[in-house]
Amino acid sequence: NGTASILLENQSTNLVTYSELFNTYLSVRVDATITDNYGISPDGSLNSSRIQFVDETSYCYAAISVFTSHTSSCYVKGVKGETVKFGIGANVATGQSFLLNGNWQRIEYTSSTANQIFFSTYSGVTARDFEVFGLQLEALSYATSYIPTSGQSGGVTRAAETLNNAGNSDLINSTEGVLYAEISALADDGTFRNISLNNGTTAQSVRIYYRNTTNQITALIGSASGGSVTVNVANAYTFNKIAVAYQNDNAKVFVNGVLEATIPSITMPTGLNQLDFDISNVLPFYGRCKTVAVFKEALSDTE
């Protein structure tokens, strides 16, 4: 929305071997014509493909083999108000019907079992002539940014992306302070996701993390006899403002400005000197972060 941001993504592979040559990749077709290099795609090049269907039982697909959670995605452009069926599944009648808005839009569909990735006119969808670009299939429960492929066996892998050395360790206080983040997770997929102040170990840390249980966020003050508290947060995987304030052998947890829990009688951590989107190089925070802030002093409840 016009606000500068940094996109850091985990490793992922586009398993589609020809992400921009739909006529080559979607090799099984019934009453369907595909024309590659037809129009201007979202990347500004003449490399979109045109799909034309004949009637209500037209389709095109490629054979795949999926037995765990995978997400298919594609950019489409068609007549506003028309619908198209897209996805992965047992056959071309599965997937989902998507409403076109007249502009380029990215659609995605997730399934745990599939042997086809397809477009079709089943289930009464109305689009018979539309453009497509950037077909993607990932072994994830959500779609990441587009990874182009051009015939590589096994697809193309984007390595996990990192950003280091932002901030000043002198601004981190071990005896009191606040760790604050406005965050959301990419998916409710049962994984731990940490943001932490630490000294390079798990034993000495202040942490905010999503748990492997739906709608639970934990705040932890870690030391030899540290403590933690878990709070239930409705819609925890949408954006929420989480703050952990620590001082005088106790800590408080605020969610969206409301005091939700306290952690009394903790042993304060020592030697905190770094802020990480993980804890000791494990349990990384894969998600969206609007703000992360560290205060050297324990703010008042009102603050």
Side-chain angles (χ1 to χ4, degrees):
N1 297 324
T3 302
S5 61
I6 297 171
L7 176 65
L8 301 173
E9 297 184 285
N10 55 316
Q11 178 175 304
S12 188
T13 299
N14 185 359
L15 300 170
V16 171
T17 51
Y18 290 95
S19 64
E20 298 173 11
L21 296 176
F22 287 73
N23 189 46
T24 299
Y25 186 68
L26 301 179
S27 58
V28 182
R29 297 190 286 272
V30 170
D31 293 331
T33 301
I34 303 177
T35 305
D36 289 334
N37 301 316
Y38 171 79
I40 303 300
S41 77
D43 75 1
S45 304
L46 184 66
N47 57 357
S48 73
S49 297
R50 181 187 189 186
I51 296 180
Q52 296 170 283
F53 288 139
V54 173
D55 53 31
E56 68 277 2
T57 58
S58 302
Y59 58 83
C60 52
Y61 74 81
I64 60 174
S65 182
V66 168
F67 301 101
T68 60
S69 184
H70 281 59
T71 298
S72 54
S73 58
C74 189
Y75 290 93
V76 298
K77 181 181 180 182
V79 176
K80 181 179 181 179
E82 291 187 347
T83 54
V84 64
K85 180 171 277 293
F86 166 75
I88 57 176
N91 54 64
V92 296
T94 54
Q96 181 177 337
S97 297
F98 294 90
L99 179 66
L100 300 175
N101 62 17
N103 302 307
W104 281 109
Q105 61 193 98
R106 198 181 193 203
I107 57 178
E108 59 185 72
Y109 182 79
T110 301
S111 179
S112 295
T113 56
N115 53 33
Q116 296 175 0
I117 182 169
F118 60 84
F119 287 93
S120 82
T121 59
Y122 281 72
S123 304
V125 300
T126 56
R128 299 292 182 265
D129 191 342
F130 55 95
E131 292 178 66
V132 291
F133 171 78
L135 187 62
Q136 188 149 300
L137 178 65
E138 303 172 82
L140 296 170
S141 60
Y142 53 90
T144 70
S145 60
Y146 174 51
I147 305 168
T149 67
S150 54
Q152 296 89 341
S153 177
V156 171
T157 298
R158 179 195 57 242
E161 298 165 325
T162 61
L163 174 67
N164 298 311
N165 301 321
N168 186 338
S169 62
D170 292 339
L171 300 177
I172 299 174
N173 189 347
S174 297
T175 57
E176 66 172 284
V178 177
L179 174 60
Y180 168 85
E182 184 176 1
I183 52 177
S184 74
L186 295 175
D188 182 6
D189 63 356
T191 59
F192 289 91
R193 301 159 185 259
N194 279 254
I195 296 177
S196 68
L197 299 175
N198 63 81
N199 69 344
T201 71
T202 58
Q204 305 293 337
S205 64
V206 176
R207 287 189 254 170
I208 296 171
Y209 62 90
Y210 289 105
R211 295 191 61 81
N212 59 346
T213 302
T214 296
N215 289 336
Q216 287 190 353
I217 295 177
T218 291
L220 182 147
I221 310 296
S223 63
S225 57
S228 67
V229 63
T230 297
V231 295
N232 292 303
V233 180
N235 301 314
Y237 296 90
T238 60
F239 273 107
N240 288 280
K241 300 174 181 180
I242 314 297
V244 179
Y246 55 98
Q247 182 185 41
N248 299 328
D249 301 329
N250 69 82
K252 298 178 180 179
V253 182
F254 293 81
V255 179
N256 298 319
V258 177
L259 177 61
E260 293 288 348
T262 59
I263 314 174
S265 302
I266 62 173
T267 300
M268 300 296 289
T270 59
L272 302 182
N273 60 6
Q274 61 192 53
L275 166 69
D276 292 330
F277 282 80
D278 60 29
I279 179 65
S280 293
N281 298 314
V282 297
L283 306 178
F285 178 84
Y286 288 127
R288 297 181 175 90
C289 182
K290 286 186 177 181
T291 306
V292 61
V294 179
F295 297 86
K296 288 186 68 173
E297 62 280 344
L299 304 178
S300 69
D301 289 2
T302 301
E303 291 171 319

